[in-house]
Amino acid sequence: GTLFEVKGNVETGHSGSTPTVNLSTGATIRCVGMTKKTGTSYLNWDGGTIQLTGNEPTIDGFTQIRLGANPCVLDATLLDGGSLNVNAQIVSDPALNGADDGGLRVRGSQARAVFFRGSVGSYTFKGPIVVESGAALGIGDIVFTTQPVRLQAGAMPRVGGDNATNP
């Protein structure tokens, strides 16, 4: 596969632009985090891996993350400490015309949880969330409405936050 490595943050949305990042099967983006400067930006994620490094990285650099037909991997195995926070709207790619997307696979260690921190309604993608063995998924202050969450042997859920809801 192809590795695109950034030693800092991937920054999107500079003044007057509407950037779109396309990540597909076989490709990996390795970075400290993803942040948005100004404006509107999108991630079309159809397979492929986002691998975060550093301490307490955040993915908040996209107006919308659109999941395609292939499973997308969110990898927290290289974190120096803390947890990975995702604060972006995640939806099914409109090009799927209502068909299920490939969902998300969460990879990491139980000491390094992946937390989804968007507001209610931020996560309307249809595919499953698969938490791989050894990974921890933290769900705080959000509601997953349509996605099944599958925990593989050795995975750990962490549910918390003032408004956490498990439908």
Side-chain angles (χ1 to χ4, degrees), residues 79-158:
L79 296 185
D80 291 338
S83 57
L84 165 61
N85 294 291
V86 179
N87 187 15
Q89 185 183 35
I90 305 176
V91 302
S92 294
D93 189 328
L96 294 174
N97 293 318
D100 285 355
D101 56 65
L104 287 172
R105 294 186 72 84
V106 176
R107 187 172 291 156
S109 72
Q110 292 180 358
R112 311 283 187 265
V114 175
F115 283 92
F116 291 90
R117 303 224 184 253
S119 60
V120 173
S122 291
Y123 305 107
T124 58
F125 63 96
K126 296 180 179 179
I129 299 171
V130 177
V131 184
E132 294 183 359
S133 178
L137 174 68
I139 302 172
D141 294 338
I142 62 164
V143 178
F144 286 106
T145 55
T146 59
Q147 307 82 352
V149 176
R150 299 181 186 139
L151 300 175
Q152 293 183 344
M156 176 186 293
R158 295 183 182 178

Side-chain angles (χ1 to χ4, degrees), residues 50-61:
I50 296 176
Q51 188 175 57
L52 283 296
T53 62
N55 187 14
E56 295 286 337
T58 300
I59 296 176
D60 63 1

